[in-house]
Amino acid sequence: MASLLRISRARAFVSHPAALTRTVTRTFAMSRSIPPLSDKSLLKSQAYINGKWTDAESGQTFEIKDPATHKLIGTMPEMSKAETESAIAAAAAALPSFRAMTGRERSRLLHKWFQLMMENQEDLAKLITWENGKPLADAKGEVAYAAGFFEWFAEEAPRLYGDTIPASIPGNRVFTWKQPVGVCGFITPWNFPAAMITRKIGPALAAGCTVVAKSPGETPLTAAAIAELGHRAGIPPGVVNFVTGLANTEEIGNTLTASETVRKISFTGSTRVGKLLMRNSSDTVKKVSFELGGNAPFIVFDDADLDAAVAGAVASKFRSSGQTCVCANRIYVQRGIYDKFADAFAEKVKAFKVGYGWDKGVTHGPVIHERAIGKVEAHVKDAVDKGAKLLAGGQKLPDLGSNFFELTVLRDMSKDMQLAHEETFGPVAGLFPFDTEAEVVDLANASEVGLAGYFFSRDVGRIFRVAEALEVGMVGVNTGLISDAAAPFGGVKQSGFGREGSKYGIDEFVTVKTVTMGGLGELQGR
């Protein structure tokens, strides 16, 4: 399970406990024009278990650092098996009364939580920018997207319908109920500190489940602020619990997967870690859902609207500086418009501004840490060494800091390059030429993962053929943005299974119980 440590993708720093409010005050004075929170009580230095803010029993903490400046933001408790088991016990104790609530009652709680997130959108966005690095405008968009899952599942909670089934045996009646699976364990990543949490908690609570969530090690402040807003919304103690840890990520993950009380594991992260979690969950035969790695193909056919395709590719590839699981990783352009697309795409990218998320005019921030920079550098070097041509970027930006890299465009890519078969998870776009529809579908499907895929075409027949042929869980046609609380999110192959969001998302948190009533017979008196 050692690879679970890679979920956090950062080095662990363990120190003595410190008050986050004091740290925040000091860091504000040291950092670049960071606007203070309107509601400073959203800044937390503790985990949230059974309705209370709590420290680690050991007294240990880990440090949270601004990825743009490497300056200290604050600390959080370095929790372990003991605190995780306490959170599981609290969730189990809260389950009977919470599952007994009506769907409408749970709906009101979720809707109140949604309203509080939107009322505090600015402060939540500031926390995201501070600990994740993405520009403030992007962070605000994430908060709205994240809150949308609470709104969506508030509306789904009263609509957990069962079925009445015509029986094959005379005198029998068959019907089904959907019931909550029970206590759920969640592990979420740092790239969307708010949305990855609410996308799991929303349906779980709507179904009547209780939750133990492992906060992302790099971005726990956003999770804690969301927990505080849930507390204010009236979520009962024990229904939602957040444990924190960085060095102890493996131990927390082991505790969740080994627990007989936890009946469901939901994880967003790498395929490698997902396999470990799946293996460790098998001893207790848990229900599991995984949203794992991606390597999204983005295809532009000759008949596409060129301007729309360029805009869609930019939006898909460079959102959050390329640090999304569904961003375009391989951009295939049909040879008839290849040169025009490459030139227009590179010019668009050159117009963006990389910098600190707080600064005016900045469109893209840093990547999360130096290991991410190392992978980006390696992919660029490998491509150039094998014959790719740089059209834009290609260099680190040390004047800004060690986690900054230019938005990069490479053309004349080939399938033997690392970027063709590895997820970059950074601001590098590689352009591959192709000739035929069949050829590009084969290239797109030549991957062990299948999360998202995109293509641009104005040929209606081609739209249906290619959408059906792509081996992915989600397809964007003539758009580079597919995320929506109303749309099912998930992949195929080694990108995992299960769906989040949409009307299907709640099904991951229920079991179907069949009730058969016999001996009813015919009407009496006949």
Side-chain angles (χ1 to χ4, degrees):
M1 193 83 174
S3 294
L4 264 179
L5 287 171
R6 299 189 182 99
I7 298 171
S8 61
R9 303 185 185 184
R11 186 176 299 164
F13 298 92
V14 181
S15 63
H16 297 292
L20 181 57
T21 52
R22 292 196 299 271
T23 306
V24 166
T25 301
R26 183 174 67 250
T27 309
F28 274 141
M30 295 167 59
S31 299
R32 298 173 52 91
S33 303
I34 298 175
L37 301 187
S38 299
D39 182 356
K40 292 184 174 58
S41 66
L42 290 176
L43 287 166
K44 299 295 180 184
S45 60
Q46 296 174 298
Y48 184 75
I49 297 175
N50 202 25
K52 298 178 181 177
W53 296 99
T54 183
D55 293 312
E57 290 183 11
S58 66
Q60 289 186 316
T61 63
F62 63 93
E63 293 182 344
I64 309 143
K65 294 195 173 183
D66 181 342
T69 65
H70 298 290
K71 291 178 179 177
L72 181 68
I73 298 174
T75 64
M76 275 287 184
E78 186 69 75
M79 291 184 156
S80 63
K81 179 179 180 180
E83 294 86 2
T84 308
E85 288 180 337
S86 294
I88 293 169
L95 181 63
S97 59
F98 189 68
R99 70 186 296 172
M101 282 186 176
T102 67
R104 183 62 64 190
E105 288 171 322
R106 294 195 296 271
S107 173
R108 293 189 188 106
L109 289 172
L110 283 169
H111 200 268
K112 179 62 175 175
W113 205 350
F114 158 74
Q115 289 176 320
L116 287 170
M117 284 192 68
M118 293 309 297
E119 289 168 9
N120 291 274
Q121 183 180 14
E122 290 280 349
D123 279 350
L124 291 172
K126 290 172 187 175
L127 289 173
I128 291 172
T129 294
W130 204 5
E131 61 182 354
N132 171 278
K134 66 179 65 175
L136 193 58
D138 286 357
K140 287 179 66 176
E142 182 188 340
V143 175
Y145 175 53
F149 288 105
F150 286 157
E151 182 181 38
W152 177 269
F153 287 107
E155 296 160 354
E156 291 293 297
R159 296 177 175 82
L160 268 179
Y161 302 130
D163 290 305
T164 301
I165 302 170
S168 302
I169 301 171
N172 280 7
R173 303 293 184 271
V174 180
F175 54 92
T176 63
W177 293 327
K178 289 183 179 179
Q179 296 185 317
V181 68
V183 176
C184 302
F186 298 155
I187 301 174
T188 60
W190 50 262
N191 58 337
F192 287 88
M196 298 300 96
I197 291 169
T198 60
R199 196 163 72 184
K200 298 180 189 299
I201 290 178
L205 267 59
C209 299
T210 55
V211 168
V212 177
K214 160 63 174 66
S215 299
E218 298 85 353
T219 56
L221 299 180
T222 303
I226 291 172
E228 169 62 20
L229 294 176
H231 185 87
R232 297 179 192 179
I235 304 298
V239 170
V240 176
N241 306 274
F242 283 87
V243 294
T244 57
L246 192 56
N248 290 343
T249 296
E250 177 186 358
E251 186 173 343
I252 293 169
N254 276 331
T255 305
L256 290 172
T257 53
S259 171
E260 301 229 359
T261 303
V262 176
R263 299 310 312 150
K264 158 84 179 185
I265 292 288
S266 180
F267 168 69
T268 298
S270 72
T271 297
R272 179 180 61 254
V273 174
K275 290 177 180 179
L276 290 168
L277 291 168
M278 189 174 181
R279 186 178 302 122
N280 290 350
S281 296
S282 66
D283 286 342
T284 52
V285 195
K286 297 187 193 316
K287 190 170 186 175
V288 294
S289 55
F290 297 133
E291 193 266 284
L292 306 177
N295 187 355
F298 189 106
I299 304 167
V300 184
F301 289 100
D302 282 348
D303 65 336
D305 180 322
L306 183 64
D307 291 339
V310 168
V314 168
S316 175
K317 171 67 256 183
F318 292 109
R319 183 185 181 196
S320 295
S321 296
Q323 298 176 112
T324 79
C325 54
V326 293
C327 74
N329 202 62
R330 300 166 287 155
I331 301 177
Y332 297 103
V333 185
Q334 202 160 15
R335 213 172 291 274
I337 60 167
Y338 183 78
D339 290 334
K340 287 183 179 179
F341 180 92
D343 291 342
F345 184 73
E347 286 305 307
K348 192 87 169 177
V349 170
K350 289 175 184 176
F352 291 121
K353 181 180 179 182
V354 179
Y356 300 99
W358 310 105
D359 291 354
K360 187 176 181 180
V362 165
T363 58
H364 295 79
V367 298
I368 193 66
H369 48 54
E370 292 183 15
R371 287 201 308 281
I373 285 285
K375 188 173 187 181
V376 167
E377 277 194 298
H379 278 195
V380 172
K381 183 178 186 303
D382 172 77
V384 172
D385 287 349
K386 292 175 180 174
K389 179 182 177 183
L390 267 173
L391 295 183
Q395 300 294 323
K396 291 195 293 186
L397 295 167
D399 290 345
L400 289 174
S402 61
N403 289 347
F404 288 88
F405 200 92
E406 292 179 310
L407 303 189
T408 299
V409 179
L410 294 156
R411 63 167 288 163
D412 304 335
M413 300 287 291
S414 59
K415 62 183 179 181
D416 64 324
M417 297 174 184
Q418 288 179 342
L419 190 146
H421 52 85
E422 294 179 13
E423 185 179 23
T424 306
F425 225 70
V428 180
L431 308 184
F432 299 73
F434 75 91
D435 292 301
T436 69
E437 186 179 297
E439 174 197 2
V440 77
V441 168
D442 287 343
L443 288 168
N445 290 340
S447 174
E448 65 183 13
V449 294
L451 188 57
Y454 309 83
F455 67 93
F456 275 68
S457 173
R458 288 183 283 197
D459 182 323
V460 174
R462 171 176 281 159
I463 286 172
F464 279 92
R465 290 192 303 271
V466 175
E468 291 171 0
L470 289 176
E471 295 174 355
V472 295
M474 299 171 286
V475 179
V477 182
N478 295 327
T479 180
L481 298 174
I482 58 175
S483 296
D484 183 343
F489 192 103
V492 298
K493 300 196 286 190
Q494 293 191 37
S495 286
F497 45 82
R499 292 297 179 265
E500 295 185 315
S502 80
K503 69 175 185 178
Y504 302 106
I506 200 167
D507 289 340
E508 303 294 331
F509 297 93
V510 298
T511 57
V512 176
K513 177 176 284 185
T514 304
V515 179
T516 302
M517 298 179 65
L520 299 180
E522 296 182 357
L523 288 171
Q524 295 183 0
R526 285 188 178 175

